[in-house]
Amino acid sequence: MRMARISIQNGVLLLCIALLALSAGDVWSQGGYGSIVGRVADDEGNPVAYAQVVVLGQSWGAMGIQDGTYIIKNVNVGTYDLKVMMMGYEDKTITGVVIRDGENTKVDFKIKRTLVDIDLEEVVVKGRRQQLIKKESAQGHNISSDQLTNLPVDELEEAISLKAGVVAQAGELHFRGGRAGEVQYQVDGVPVRDPLVGGGVALATLAISDSDIILGGLDAQYGNAQSGIVNYKTKEGGDEFEGELRYITDDYGQPDNTYDNLDRMFVGFGGPSPIRNLTYYISAEGTYQDDYPKTIENRTHRNILNFISVGDRKDNSLKMQGKLAYRPNPKLKMTLEVINNHTKRDNYLHAWSREGYVETFFDTTQTGTVMLRHGAWSPTQIDSTYLYYNAAEHTPNVIDDFNQLKFVLNHTIDKDTYYSLKLSRQYFFRDNRVLGKEPWEYTGDREADLWLNYRTFESYDYFVIAGDYPTLSTRKTQVYTTKGDFTRRLSKKQMFQTGFEFSYNDMYLFQVDRPYQTNTNGEIGGSRTRYHYYNPEGAVYTQSRWEHEGMVLNIGLRYDAFSVGDQIPISEVQKRVKTQFSPRIGIAYPISDRDVFSFHYGRFYQFPDRQYIFDDRNVFDGRTRGNPNLENETTVSYQAGIQHLFSEIVFGQFSVYYKDIFGLITAEQVPDYAGTGNVRLYTNKDYASARGFEFTLSRQFKNNFRGEISYTYGVATGVASDPNAAIVQNFLYLPVSEQPLDWDSRHQLSAQLYIANPGSWGCNFVWNYTSGFPYTPIQRNTRELGPEATNSRRLPGSTSLDIQAEKYYTLWNQRFRIFLQSRNLLDAKNITNLTPSNWPGFPSATGSDYEKYYTETGRAGGAYIGDDINGDGIEDWIPLQDPRVFGDPRTIRVGVGFQF
């Protein structure tokens, strides 16, 4: 550990020298930006459309839209005065508005009508067009809470998947061709990621005020992410009490008159507290549904008012958030936030989706052993030897918990100097087991695995007829993070920013397969792993911005240090602390008043998920071992873009990118240091590349409609899509060239149209097309698979049309709405996962039978090879119609909402 401290200290010293060198020169990197959002209303609360809001003494401003809302983006941190002007109304100025880095500052105006009969001088308002980002080379998208409310989506991730440069595949998001784990999720600038296995967090919809999606051009303040950033900004209470209630269902009063048996409830409210300058905001979201595909597990529930169902379902989640904000003075702000998510769900497993009766008898053929065996299956009970068995009730229940406690201090020292300090504690928990059982309580055959057991007798079938799904796992991770940022404007054209980040990870994992067996060490389980490791990591960065004759140059340097901790013996570790320097260079240049060109070069590093370091270090059962000598994965990225303002409300963006990705993790056979054989070990030997271009054309809301259309052409190729691909596919030889990756969809087209009369009605149409993902053709007689065949063919493309229509009413002087939402309105049957997992060893153990079936017949849905039914001497396919292969069918929901 002493060596780790020395290495980190040396790295920090080197970076401090670099900081001093940069600060002494003529080049400065990008500083902090925030946004101003709000609403202009008259003294009766009615919206004032098209009012002008300007930042006094600056060139920033914006015009409100029909519902009175406005937004001024990319305002430098500092303190400003805002003024609103509208003909027929009195001007109003609000002073001392503090803009903080990465935050939305809410400023609402209430203005009075006035009658004038005198000549007025011409008023010229010069405001920066809010769409053109003239000082940044980062590229991405923004989704506001209002847009999220109007979209027919359940989660923010679904809205993100509609944006250019984003591919959604198998429930994961891929930014510009990268792996799903290369996207970092943040909440108010604090990274949220389970360091053991990756992944982010989903927040309650009403808790989100804004979200920034960065696809490329990451500045030095962003680290441990190769593909992009998703930053959630959570809501805070304002000067007045306000809130919202919302309820959505697809249950129309009868048990068989529903799609997913969905009930979803939202509540969010906040405002000032009895304590001066202290505001609060609280939100909760509960979702209970038997989503597609449904399971046959028996669950108890009851109905309220004949249409609200209460009780456990296949998927149950509760997301809660609470935030306190305290402003003792205009320059100082402190927030304390708690986020708590709880999910309990079942996974649909096709082989475990049958219920009926199975024949049971005792086997006395083995010497000295009497074993309970299972024979024929029947949908009805034939005699007393047939016992009821519901396979779905013997699959694992998954419990996911996430908790975050976060404190943020923002202090504006003066109009040119600003800093922030963020402290966070995160807790990730997942438990995956059957009926809450301990390993020794699992039922199965201790002499032979259950799927071989039943096939020994009369039943030659794909479906399970006895025993528990043979796996159990528990995972706990705690992450303690401290993050600080300091921003200083040195002159009108020079900005300097620096910061640090430190995290300490506490990780525990217990996992066992086939717990009804005993392994070679006399322990329960055919294979098992258990460990509890700790590791620290940290980073410091600097970035500067220099403006000269319209051109803006952003330069940044980041230093990351990662330690595997001191629990692994030094004899197994070549370098306990891994360090990296990451340069970032970006240029933004306004070609004209309506055009901005930008370019960015960056070198991005990402620490490997700790499972690839710590898993199975002391296991000798053939599983892939973790490697404490893994290095950081690396991406070298180039991008260029042009923004063009066609008119005051029509904006376009075009960008091209290329990414070279190397040091990716894969598994390979290596000599065993403890013996004479070979073992499987994770190493940094995979590589990939991604390139493409994106185009987005958007129109702001005016004349009762807004719209957006985006197109992406992208190519994502590499050695393997998964770290375990080389082992699972059993390659005869290593690949010598890149192949299409699983998420390599070449074309994506998305269109949105929102038509509305604000305050009266609205309708949002969302259409999305994705060209076919690749798959690997396998013939029935294929014995070994060559790498050149991997993903060499394409599935059909997928498409969907979603709509949301809403009608607004005034009830008790408050806003009330009803809405109708349809997902996949045209009921398109899209192939979303050709080869879902059929572990633990059915005829399609690796999914190859599904691929063979599709290759030979062109039909999806899965099958396995059974008896020769037609007598032609060739075994025939037994189709399965596995619903996991296809995307969700059409659903129609209704809902009500109430704002106060």
Side-chain angles (χ1 to χ4, degrees):
M1 200 64 191
R2 182 174 178 271
M3 294 176 61
R5 287 195 296 267
I6 293 173
S7 298
I8 294 175
Q9 289 171 356
N10 290 339
V12 173
L13 178 60
L14 289 173
L15 187 57
C16 289
I17 296 173
L19 292 177
L20 291 173
L22 282 173
S23 61
D26 292 330
V27 181
W28 308 94
S29 69
Q30 178 181 349
Y33 294 100
S35 298
I36 304 173
V37 299
R39 182 172 180 264
V40 182
D42 60 24
D43 48 8
E44 295 180 355
N46 300 313
V48 177
Y50 311 122
Q52 294 280 358
V53 182
V54 296
V55 181
L56 296 179
Q58 304 291 335
S59 59
W60 301 310
M63 176 186 288
I65 58 177
Q66 282 180 302
D67 64 358
T69 60
Y70 72 94
I71 180 171
I72 308 174
K73 295 183 178 180
N74 301 294
V75 180
N76 290 326
V77 295
T79 303
Y80 303 97
D81 298 336
L82 266 64
K83 185 175 183 179
V84 62
M85 292 171 287
M86 181 64 186
M87 185 173 294
Y89 293 85
E90 294 180 355
D91 295 349
K92 186 173 183 178
T93 300
I94 296 179
T95 61
V97 177
V98 179
I99 307 302
R100 299 179 176 87
D101 185 23
E103 292 191 13
N104 288 335
T105 300
K106 187 175 182 181
V107 181
D108 292 332
F109 289 92
K110 280 194 174 182
I111 54 180
K112 296 181 179 180
R113 290 182 177 273
T114 181
L115 296 176
V116 295
D117 54 4
I118 59 175
D119 294 334
L120 297 177
E121 296 182 0
E122 179 183 6
V123 177
V124 179
V125 178
K126 295 182 178 180
R128 172 182 157 188
R129 295 180 177 92
Q130 61 186 37
Q131 296 94 340
L132 287 181
I133 303 174
K134 299 181 179 181
K135 298 182 180 181
E136 296 184 24
S137 52
Q139 294 178 358
H141 309 283
N142 178 272
I143 301 175
S144 67
S145 60
D146 290 338
Q147 292 173 328
L148 190 60
T149 298
N150 294 328
L151 283 172
V153 297
D154 289 334
E155 304 286 352
L156 176 61
E157 287 74 12
E158 296 177 32
I160 295 174
S161 69
L162 301 173
K163 297 298 184 179
V166 182
V167 172
Q169 195 259 351
E172 297 180 322
L173 298 182
H174 302 266
F175 285 14
R176 289 184 170 178
R179 291 180 176 179
E182 296 175 4
V183 178
Q184 182 187 103
Y185 292 82
Q186 299 182 350
V187 177
D188 293 327
V190 177
V192 178
R193 179 184 178 89
D194 187 339
L196 188 60
V197 297
V201 63
L203 300 183
T205 303
L206 294 184
I208 302 172
S209 68
D210 202 6
S211 56
D212 290 322
I213 301 98
I214 306 176
L215 299 175
L218 304 181
D219 290 321
Q221 63 179 308
Y222 300 112
N224 202 24
Q226 291 174 265
S227 289
I229 301 291
V230 176
N231 184 28
Y232 302 104
K233 300 173 185 177
T234 54
K235 290 182 180 177
E236 299 177 6
D239 295 332
E240 297 181 0
F241 177 75
E242 59 182 4
E244 181 176 359
L245 299 173
R246 201 184 307 166
Y247 171 70
I248 301 174
T249 186
D250 66 1
D251 188 344
Y252 302 108
Q254 297 179 2
D256 59 347
N257 194 8
T258 183
Y259 292 90
D260 294 328
N261 192 23
L262 167 74
D263 288 296
R264 196 174 189 199
M265 293 147 280
F266 309 77
V267 58
F269 60 91
S273 74
I275 301 175
R276 181 180 174 84
N277 298 323
L278 177 68
T279 62
Y280 69 94
Y281 190 85
I282 299 173
S283 65
E285 177 181 313
T287 303
Y288 307 92
Q289 61 180 330
D290 295 316
D291 55 349
Y292 179 86
K294 301 177 182 178
T295 65
I296 59 172
E297 182 173 343
N298 293 317
R299 300 181 180 88
T300 59
H301 62 87
R302 59 189 179 90
N303 291 333
I304 299 175
L305 300 178
N306 201 35
F307 69 93
I308 301 177
S309 181
V310 178
D312 273 355
R313 313 198 194 161
K314 179 191 170 190
D315 195 327
N316 313 270
S317 70
L318 179 62
K319 304 171 185 175
M320 296 182 291
Q321 174 256 2
K323 191 173 187 179
L324 295 174
Y326 180 58
R327 300 174 178 84
N329 59 65
K331 295 185 177 182
L332 183 62
K333 175 185 173 184
M334 293 174 282
T335 61
L336 180 66
E337 183 174 41
V338 176
I339 298 172
N340 191 27
N341 294 349
H342 174 76
T343 300
K344 180 182 178 183
R345 70 178 187 277
D346 293 335
N347 291 320
Y348 178 92
L349 302 170
H350 196 51
W352 304 74
S353 63
R354 174 183 287 185
E355 67 173 331
Y357 297 84
V358 59
E359 180 186 15
T360 60
F361 55 89
F362 290 100
D363 179 10
T364 60
T365 60
Q366 300 186 37
T367 304
T369 303
V370 177
M371 301 190 66
L372 180 66
R373 295 289 193 178
H374 303 84
W377 177 88
S378 172
T380 60
Q381 188 172 23
I382 297 176
D383 56 43
S384 60
T385 64
Y386 280 76
L387 300 180
Y388 176 76
Y389 180 76
N390 184 324
E393 294 180 350
H394 294 265
T395 59
N397 296 316
V398 181
I399 296 176
D400 268 315
D401 287 335
F402 169 77
N403 177 269
Q404 182 187 46
L405 178 64
K406 173 168 58 73
F407 173 78
V408 178
L409 170 68
N410 293 313
H411 186 199
T412 302
I413 299 175
D414 54 44
K415 66 177 183 178
D416 297 320
T417 309
Y418 164 87
Y419 72 88
S420 67
L421 178 66
K422 302 179 176 73
L423 306 176
S424 170
R425 182 262 189 187
Q426 300 164 14
Y427 175 71
F428 302 86
F429 172 82
R430 170 174 286 193
D431 188 78
N432 181 46
R433 67 181 69 212
V434 175
L435 301 173
K437 293 183 177 181
E438 296 297 334
W440 54 85
E441 297 176 307
Y442 274 55
T443 59
D445 189 340
R446 293 178 182 273
E447 299 299 324
D449 287 332
L450 54 91
W451 61 90
L452 296 177
N453 178 26
Y454 74 76
R455 289 182 62 183
T456 304
F457 298 92
E458 296 179 32
S459 177
Y460 188 85
D461 203 343
Y462 169 86
F463 296 93
V464 174
I465 61 173
D468 295 324
Y469 189 80
T471 188
L472 177 152
S473 65
T474 299
R475 186 176 75 236
K476 303 175 185 178
T477 304
Q478 296 185 76
V479 182
Y480 301 89
T481 301
T482 301
K483 183 178 180 182
D485 302 281
F486 176 84
T487 303
R488 171 73 175 173
R489 176 179 293 277
L490 301 176
S491 68
K492 188 175 181 179
K493 296 184 177 182
Q494 298 176 352
M495 184 78 75
F496 172 79
Q497 185 175 17
T498 186
F500 70 92
E501 183 177 338
F502 176 80
S503 295
Y504 183 79
N505 306 316
D506 179 343
M507 299 159 289
Y508 169 83
L509 175 70
F510 171 69
Q511 193 271 336
V512 60
D513 292 337
R514 302 180 179 92
Y516 45 78
Q517 294 182 348
T518 302
N519 65 19
T520 56
N521 296 325
E523 300 172 319
I524 292 176
S527 61
R528 60 189 284 138
T529 182
R530 184 197 297 267
Y531 57 79
H532 191 177
Y533 283 106
Y534 313 88
N535 91 282
E537 58 197 54
V540 290
Y541 75 91
T542 181
Q543 58 189 37
S544 344
R545 186 186 71 219
W546 175 55
E547 300 178 43
H548 179 68
E549 295 183 354
M551 184 185 75
V552 180
L553 176 64
N554 295 311
I555 293 182
L557 181 65
R558 184 180 180 91
Y559 172 85
D560 290 275
F562 161 73
S563 171
V564 297
D566 57 0
Q567 294 171 273
I568 298 178
I570 191 63
S571 59
E572 300 181 28
V573 181
Q574 298 173 3
K575 186 169 59 174
R576 197 173 294 277
V577 178
K578 289 90 191 262
T579 61
Q580 300 281 1
F581 280 98
S582 308
R584 317 283 172 89
I585 301 175
I587 298 174
Y589 183 71
I591 302 173
S592 70
D593 188 46
R594 292 180 176 266
D595 299 273
V596 175
F597 169 80
S598 64
F599 171 82
H600 190 277
Y601 161 82
R603 193 176 182 93
F604 309 106
Y605 297 97
Q606 187 166 335
F607 305 141
D609 290 341
R610 310 311 180 268
Q611 61 178 325
Y612 301 120
I613 295 176
F614 300 128
D615 271 7
D616 302 310
R617 294 290 306 150
N618 300 311
V619 175
F620 301 94
D621 59 3
R623 301 180 67 178
T624 306
R625 294 183 185 177
N627 183 359
N629 296 306
L630 289 175
E631 298 290 339
N632 295 339
E633 297 176 316
T634 305
T635 294
V636 178
S637 173
Y638 306 85
Q639 72 170 35
I642 293 179
Q643 305 170 62
H644 178 68
L645 198 62
F646 292 93
S647 70
E648 295 295 329
I649 60 172
V650 180
F651 169 74
Q653 179 172 293
F654 177 83
S655 58
V656 296
Y657 65 89
Y658 175 82
K659 299 199 296 186
D660 189 15
I661 312 166
F662 53 94
L664 293 174
I665 296 172
T666 188
E668 67 172 357
Q669 298 278 359
V670 298
D672 185 3
Y673 59 82
T676 58
N678 291 332
V679 297
R680 294 186 302 189
L681 187 73
Y682 289 113
T683 60
N684 294 100
K685 288 193 174 181
D686 272 4
Y687 57 90
S689 63
R691 56 273 189 200
F693 64 85
E694 306 152 358
F695 174 72
T696 299
L697 181 67
S698 59
R699 181 191 190 275
Q700 286 187 351
F701 189 87
K702 192 174 183 180
N703 299 327
N704 297 104
F705 81 95
R706 72 166 178 256
E708 180 176 290
I709 184 169
S710 63
Y711 170 75
T712 302
Y713 173 79
V715 179
T717 57
V719 174
S721 303
D722 181 83
N724 294 299
I727 299 298
V728 173
Q729 298 182 15
N730 194 25
F731 286 148
L732 286 173
Y733 50 88
L734 293 175
V736 295
S737 63
E738 297 182 9
Q739 308 294 337
L741 299 175
D742 289 350
W743 53 89
D744 177 45
S745 173
R746 299 296 169 89
H747 306 278
Q748 282 191 290
L749 182 62
S750 177
Q752 299 180 38
L753 176 63
Y754 180 61
I755 305 173
N757 182 3
S760 179
W761 58 268
C763 190
N764 204 339
F765 300 85
V766 178
W767 177 78
N768 185 67
Y769 168 79
T770 301
S771 64
F773 293 105
Y775 77 96
T776 302
I778 304 177
Q779 299 294 333
R780 191 183 306 204
N781 58 359
T782 300
R783 293 294 178 263
E784 299 288 353
L785 180 67
E788 70 280 355
T790 302
N791 286 341
S792 57
R793 293 190 187 177
R794 294 274 168 176
L795 296 171
S798 61
T799 184
S800 67
L801 174 63
D802 306 330
I803 67 168
Q804 179 168 303
E806 48 201 13
K807 175 65 176 175
Y808 295 89
Y809 299 93
T810 299
L811 184 65
W812 301 310
N813 293 323
Q814 304 296 330
R815 195 180 189 190
F816 176 80
R817 69 170 177 147
I818 59 175
F819 56 92
L820 176 72
Q821 186 183 95
S822 177
R823 310 291 300 278
N824 192 10
L825 178 64
L826 303 180
D827 203 20
K829 196 169 186 178
N830 300 313
I831 300 174
T832 57
N833 189 4
L834 183 64
T835 58
S837 172
N838 274 315
W839 189 87
F842 299 101
S844 298
T846 63
S848 61
D849 276 7
Y850 281 43
E851 289 178 320
K852 292 174 185 176
Y853 176 62
Y854 188 78
T855 302
E856 292 186 10
T857 68
R859 297 194 293 270
Y864 67 94
I865 299 175
D867 297 330
D868 179 12
I869 298 174
N870 57 17
D872 61 358
I874 302 175
E875 293 177 321
D876 293 311
W877 289 108
I878 309 298
L880 289 170
Q881 291 302 313
D882 189 335
R884 297 174 300 170
V885 173
F886 305 101
D888 293 356
R890 175 175 51 227
T891 60
I892 299 177
R893 306 168 178 175
V894 294
V896 294
F898 182 68
Q899 288 182 305
F900 52 88

